[in-house]
Amino acid sequence: MKKQVVFILAYLFSGIFFQANAQDPFLNKRADWLQKAEKYKPALVSREVSPQWVVRSIQDSSAFQGWRMEKVPGIEAVYSSSFKKQSGIILDFGEHLTGHFTFKLKLLSATSDAPIRFKFTFGEVPAELNTPFDPYPGGLSRAWLQDEIVTVITVPSEITIPRRLSFRYVKIELLGSSPGFDFAFDKITLSATTSVTNKAPELPAGTDPLTNKIYRIGLNTLKECMQTVYEDGPKRDLRLWIGDLYLEALANTYSYQNHDLTKRCLYLLAALADKTGWLHATVYESPVPAPQEGQHCMDYSLIYNVALLEYLKATGDRETALDLWPVVIRQIEVVQNYLTPELIYDMQKQPQIWLVFDWKDALNRHAPMQGLTIFALQKSYELATLLGKEKEVTHWPALIKQMKKAARKHFYDKKQGVIVSGEQRQVSYLSQAWMVLSETLNEKEGVRALTYALNDPNTCTVGSPYGQHYFLEALVKCNMRAEAKELMHRYWGGMVNKGADTFWEVYDPENDYLSPYNFFPINSYCHAWSCTPVYFINKYPEIFLEN
Ligand code: RAM
C-alpha cells in the first residue's frame, strides 16, 4: 500500500515537473549559460589605501545637503597619540573607494585589561556622517547604512571589518575603553577593489575644466561599480540590474573595454530568467547566483535586448549573441501579451508590472513605455538582421510600423507638436525622449517636442541620472548639440559643483534631499547608471569636446 502511494505521488509530481519543465524554454541551456557566466567572472584587483587627511564637518547651508568637510592638520597624531582624546575624528581617504577596511591597534602604556568598543561610520558624502540614522525612517533595510560597532578584546590586534564598504570618509568613535591602559591606531587601510584593469582614454589637452571633471568622475563611478558584476551601487544594492548593466556596458565600451564583464552579466541574467523565459530585473551573485524571484520590470527586460545588440556591435562576438538570441525573442513575446488590440501598451493589464524609467513618482509612464517598446523592437530586429535571424521574426517590421502609427494617434498632440501621456495629458522629458529614440517622431518633430518640453514650465523633468541619460541621448539624436552640451554641464556638472566624487543615484537640482527610500542617507552616492557622460563624451566628441 505504502509503495503504491509513493508511486502515485512520484507519478503526479513527475507530471507537474514535466509540465513546468515543458514550459521552460531555456531548460537545456541554463546550466551552460551559468557556467559561461562563471567562466567570465573577472578577478578583482586590489590596492591598499590609507586615509589622507583628518577633516571636520562644517554645517553650511550652501553645501550639498547642508554639510561640507574641511581639512584639519593631525593625521600623524592618529598613529602616535592616545585615541582616547580623539574620539569622533573623521578621516578622509581623498577619493571614493570600495573594499575591506582593516585597522591595527598598538599599546601606548600598560597591558590591555579590558575590551575596547568602537563605532565606525562610513560615508560617501559628508551629510551621511552628520545625520542620525535612528529612529530609522527609510523604506529599505536599515542594515545598508554603514555604521559598524566593533569590539576589540586585546591590544595589539589587527581587525578587518567583515562587510565590504564603500565610502570616502570614516568617523571613528570610542564607545568604551579601560582606564587601565592606553592605545593608538597603528595602521588604518582599505584594500580597495575593482575589476577594471585597462586604462580609459585621456581627453585631449584643452578640454574645458568642467567636462574634464565630469569625465573623471564618470570614470571613477564606473570603476567603483565594476566588481564581479556591474553593480548598481557598491554601497547599496551590490547587485546586477538590467537597466544599470545596459548603461554601464555602454560606458565601458567607450572606456575600460572590459567586455568579458558584460558577457558574464548577459549570461547570468539569461541563466536566471524565470521558468517562462522572462528575465528577472535583478539577480544576486552570492551565496549562489539567484534571481530576485518575481521581480520583473518590463522596461528592463526589453532593455536586455538592446544591451545584447550593443555588446555584439562592440565585440563582434556572434557566438554569444546567437547563444542568447532565444532570450531576445522571448522578451518580445512577453511584452506582446501586454499590448491592446490597438497595439498600445496596456497599463491596466493585471498583474501590473513595475516600469522603472526614472526615480520620479509624478512621471506618467504610458507614452515612455510605448516608445521604449518600439525602440526595443527595432533594436531587436537590428540584432536579427546582424545574426541572419530575420526569418524567425518576419512579423516584427509590420508590428513596429503599426505600433508607431498607434503611438502617434494615441500620444502625439500634432497641433502643439508634443507627446502627451495619461489622462492629464502630461508633458514630460521622458515621453518626448522615448518617442524620439524609437523614431516614432522624425527629427524635425523631435526637435519641436524636445524644445517644447525644455521650455514648458510645467514639464515633468527627471529625478535620476538614469532618466537623464535617455533625454540626453534624444537631444543628441535630434542633433540639438548646444542643448545636449548644456544639459550635461547643468545636470552632471551640477553634481560636480556640489562636490561629487562619484555620481549619484538620484539627483534633482532643486532638492538635495530627494530619496526614493524616504531617507536620503540610504541613497547610493556612487551609482552606476549615472556614469554615462563617459560614453557621451567619447562617442560624440564633436558635441561634447568642441568649445
Ligand atoms: C534601485 C537602484 C537600481 C535600479 C533599481 C530599479 O534599486 O537604483 O539602480 O536599477 O532600483
Side-chain angles (χ1 to χ4, degrees):
M1 178 66 178
K2 244 187 179 174
K3 249 189 187 170
Q4 250 177 350
V5 173
V6 171
F7 177 76
I8 289 169
L9 280 178
Y11 176 74
L12 281 176
F13 275 117
S14 71
I16 289 167
F17 277 123
F18 177 75
Q19 272 178 17
N21 289 341
Q23 291 169 0
D24 181 350
F26 307 147
L27 179 67
N28 301 325
K29 301 176 188 282
R30 289 177 192 272
D32 177 49
W33 286 348
L34 203 55
Q35 225 171 41
K36 286 180 177 148
E38 287 310 296
K39 181 170 165 201
Y40 292 101
K41 187 175 186 167
L44 293 177
V45 286
S46 58
R47 72 188 161 106
E48 289 258 304
V49 191
S50 304
Q52 304 292 303
W53 311 285
V54 178
V55 290
R56 68 185 151 118
S57 303
I58 307 285
Q59 195 155 20
D60 177 350
S61 57
S62 68
F64 179 57
Q65 299 174 336
W67 292 92
R68 64 183 166 81
M69 294 299 187
E70 191 176 82
K71 279 187 203 174
V72 287
I75 187 77
E76 305 77 25
V78 174
Y79 302 106
S80 56
S81 333
S82 163
F83 191 72
K84 289 184 180 174
K85 294 183 204 89
Q86 301 185 62
S87 181
I89 197 169
I90 300 176
L91 305 178
D92 179 352
F93 277 70
E95 59 183 313
H96 187 284
L97 297 162
T98 298
H100 281 92
F101 181 84
T102 299
F103 65 93
K104 199 168 163 184
L105 299 177
K106 63 185 175 197
L107 275 174
L108 291 183
S109 70
T111 311
S112 72
D113 60 358
I116 305 171
R117 190 170 164 86
F118 291 105
K119 179 173 173 186
F120 295 89
T121 309
F122 299 86
E124 296 183 307
V125 292
E128 255 175 300
L129 299 186
N130 292 289
T131 309
F133 291 168
D134 300 297
Y136 175 66
L140 298 177
S141 167
R142 159 71 174 81
W144 285 119
L145 295 167
Q146 303 183 107
D147 54 338
E148 297 287 310
I149 305 274
V150 181
T151 304
V152 182
I153 302 296
T154 54
V155 178
S157 275
E158 179 167 320
I159 309 258
T160 298
I161 295 182
R163 79 185 276 189
R164 201 194 67 187
L165 294 147
S166 193
F167 67 101
R168 171 172 171 175
Y169 308 102
V170 55
K171 177 158 80 185
I172 312 177
E173 292 164 279
L174 187 60
L175 302 185
S177 65
S178 156
F181 73 102
D182 208 355
F183 67 94
F185 279 91
D186 199 14
K187 172 181 137 183
I188 300 173
T189 54
L190 189 86
S191 171
T193 60
T194 174
S195 57
V196 169
T197 46
N198 297 340
K199 272 210 157 12
E202 298 280 343
L203 296 187
T207 301
D208 70 89
L210 186 57
T211 305
N212 259 321
K213 282 188 193 158
I214 293 173
Y215 184 64
R216 189 178 40 73
I217 293 171
L219 283 174
N220 275 347
T221 308
L222 179 59
K223 181 257 296 170
E224 290 288 276
C225 295
M226 286 173 70
Q227 300 288 333
T228 47
V229 291
Y230 284 114
E231 293 184 11
D232 59 338
K235 178 181 100 177
R236 204 219 78 237
D237 319 323
L238 285 59
R239 73 194 59 160
L240 174 64
W241 287 85
I242 298 174
D244 303 72
L245 150 75
Y246 170 52
L247 297 194
E248 289 179 271
L250 283 181
N252 171 61
T253 294
Y254 286 89
S255 57
Y256 300 123
Q257 305 217 331
N258 184 351
H259 297 300
D260 280 355
L261 184 64
T262 311
K263 184 169 175 165
R264 162 170 167 73
C265 294
L266 290 167
Y267 270 118
L268 203 56
L269 285 159
L272 300 172
D274 78 5
K275 287 284 181 279
T276 70
W278 188 11
L279 292 168
H280 286 101
T282 181
V283 299
Y284 316 109
E285 291 182 276
S286 48
V288 290
Q292 184 173 341
E293 205 71 57
Q295 180 65 272
H296 297 287
C297 301
M298 192 69 88
D299 50 341
Y300 274 17
S301 38
L302 292 173
I303 283 293
Y304 178 93
N305 294 6
V306 189
L308 184 62
L309 168 71
E310 294 301 335
Y311 170 78
L312 174 64
K313 285 192 191 167
T315 60
D317 179 0
R318 286 174 64 84
E319 196 185 323
T320 298
L322 282 166
D323 207 8
L324 295 173
W325 167 247
V327 183
V328 172
I329 299 195
R330 189 65 200 117
Q331 305 321 298
I332 299 294
E333 286 168 356
V334 172
V335 77
Q336 279 188 264
N337 289 326
Y338 272 76
L339 300 182
T340 65
E342 293 75 38
L343 299 180
I344 296 291
Y345 185 84
D346 188 352
M347 299 290 275
Q348 304 311 325
K349 185 170 165 114
Q350 295 299 330
Q352 283 178 5
I353 304 299
W354 182 13
L355 305 175
V356 179
F357 283 100
D358 193 13
W359 279 129
K360 188 88 177 180
D361 290 345
L363 176 70
N364 185 291
R365 287 159 165 77
H366 202 187
M369 188 56 197
Q370 181 79 8
L372 182 143
T373 307
I374 299 168
F375 171 78
L377 257 161
Q378 273 184 173
K379 297 288 182 184
S380 304
Y381 193 70
E382 188 182 338
L383 183 58
T385 57
L386 291 177
L387 297 176
K389 292 283 188 185
E390 302 94 311
K391 286 212 179 79
E392 290 179 26
V393 292
T394 46
H395 60 293
W396 283 2
L399 179 61
I400 294 167
K401 218 167 143 193
Q402 286 158 8
M403 281 194 75
K404 282 188 186 175
K405 206 169 153 201
R408 290 178 69 92
K409 197 167 151 208
H410 201 91
F411 299 105
Y412 190 36
D413 180 337
K414 229 175 167 175
K415 222 164 139 209
Q416 301 290 325
V418 72
I419 298 289
V420 292
S421 185
E423 271 174 25
Q424 308 297 321
R425 298 174 60 78
Q426 182 190 67
V427 173
S428 68
Y429 275 31
L430 288 179
S431 289
Q432 319 313 314
W434 282 109
M435 290 302 181
V436 164
L437 295 174
S438 61
E439 296 171 350
T440 300
L441 299 183
N442 65 31
E443 187 176 323
K444 202 168 151 211
E445 291 165 335
V447 171
R448 195 170 165 215
L450 292 167
T451 309
Y452 188 111
L454 278 168
N455 295 326
D456 178 5
N458 299 320
T459 308
C460 179
T461 57
V462 299
S464 72
Y466 183 72
Q468 200 67 271
H469 167 89
Y470 296 102
F471 188 68
L472 184 51
E473 187 81 281
L475 290 175
V476 169
K477 190 169 170 70
C478 286
N479 207 21
M480 295 172 71
R481 296 180 171 205
E483 290 85 351
K485 191 168 177 179
E486 195 274 330
L487 180 79
M488 183 186 284
H489 279 195
R490 178 161 46 85
Y491 190 75
W492 279 271
M495 287 186 258
V496 174
N497 292 332
K498 289 183 180 183
D501 299 296
T502 44
F503 289 126
W504 308 327
E505 174 183 19
V506 180
Y507 177 51
D508 180 342
E510 304 304 318
N511 180 7
D512 284 357
Y513 302 93
L514 183 71
S515 171
Y517 319 109
N518 199 39
F519 191 49
F520 69 89
I522 199 111
N523 290 7
S524 156
Y525 293 93
C526 173
H527 214 65
W529 68 17
S530 59
C531 73
T532 58
V534 167
Y535 152 82
F536 283 111
I537 291 168
N538 281 327
K539 183 165 182 194
Y540 306 108
E542 70 284 7
I543 299 180
F544 297 101
L545 293 179
E546 280 303 308
N547 287 323

